[in-house]
Amino acid sequence: MVVDEPATESHLAAVLERPRAEVGAVLHGLAAEYTAQGRGFDLRLVAGGWRFYTRAECAEAVDRFVLDGQQARLTQAALETLAVVAYRQPVSRSRVSAVRGVNCDGVMRTLVQRGLVEETGSEPETGAILYRTTNYFLERMGLRGLEELPELAPFLPEVDDVEAESLEGTVIAEAVSAARAADDGDEAGREVR
């Protein structure tokens, strides 16, 4: 309860001078016991270690008590940027900006300040700084590792839909061009008369 980051089984085993397997088994047992008893907190394995969390049913009351109803939430731009970093890491700011279609420099600075994203080196070709998510990100998201990020495929449009939209756009563009050409021809004919 007093640690700032999730405590690893190996660290706890060293502190308690017990075998790691024994400590792991006890932690799993405690987590199951707390869930079965419906306690106001969970013991969860996240970001490579164990940490206590408020049970979802009690979160609103704890928020009122601790935060007095005020939370610093991420903006839509920050959430989008964080998602790009999480799924494409390590990634440069320019690549994130290209994916989002807008400059993300300020948003990236905010995510670094909040400890959700960190620098992780640079691209050999360009020298651009690369970014990745942190263990704090995993902890806040309740993930054990990046492999637990949900698959993106269900949220992406079907290829046929994208192609249809692209074809529809092409047909519309061709119709607009034809209409302009016809208007230009009519105007040229009027000028000659």
Side-chain angles (χ1 to χ4, degrees):
M1 290 185 187
V2 297
V3 296
D4 291 335
E5 296 179 354
T8 65
E9 289 177 11
S10 56
H11 181 121
L12 291 170
V15 169
L16 298 171
E17 298 176 346
R18 305 298 299 172
R20 183 174 180 258
E22 180 183 336
V23 170
V26 169
L27 289 167
H28 283 283
L30 283 172
E33 182 181 323
Y34 296 154
T35 299
Q37 293 174 351
R39 299 234 180 147
F41 55 87
D42 283 326
L43 180 60
R44 296 186 202 158
L45 177 61
V46 294
W50 290 86
R51 185 169 193 149
F52 284 105
Y53 284 87
T54 303
R55 187 168 302 284
E57 300 86 57
C58 302
E60 188 177 324
V62 171
D63 282 349
R64 283 194 310 269
F65 180 77
V66 174
L67 303 173
D68 197 22
Q70 296 185 11
Q71 288 184 343
R73 298 198 184 271
L74 293 176
T75 64
Q76 184 67 32
L79 289 171
E80 291 171 6
T81 301
L82 188 56
V84 173
V85 173
Y87 282 97
R88 309 270 318 246
Q89 60 186 303
V91 64
S92 66
R93 281 188 304 203
S94 62
R95 177 104 29 196
V96 174
S97 294
V99 170
R100 289 196 58 236
V102 295
N103 185 310
C104 70
D105 291 350
V107 174
M108 193 68 83
R109 278 191 297 276
T110 299
L111 294 173
V112 169
Q113 288 173 345
R114 289 192 177 191
L116 297 167
V117 170
E118 66 187 1
E119 293 181 9
T120 185
S122 59
E123 282 185 343
E125 306 86 39
T126 64
I129 296 171
L130 297 173
Y131 294 88
R132 68 177 176 199
T133 55
T134 62
N135 277 341
Y136 180 66
F137 163 79
L138 293 174
E139 182 183 336
R140 298 298 297 167
M141 298 303 282
L143 303 172
R144 293 182 187 135
L146 293 174
E147 63 279 353
E148 288 190 351
L149 284 171
E151 291 292 322
L152 284 178
F155 303 105
L156 297 175
E158 295 295 324
V159 172
D160 294 341
D161 294 341
V162 172
E163 287 178 3
E165 286 178 21
S166 177
L167 289 174
E168 181 179 293
T170 303
V171 169
I172 292 170
E174 289 173 356
V176 168
S177 293
R180 285 185 181 151
D183 287 345
D184 291 345
D186 288 345
E187 288 179 21
R190 285 184 213 131
E191 290 177 8
V192 172
R193 291 183 202 157

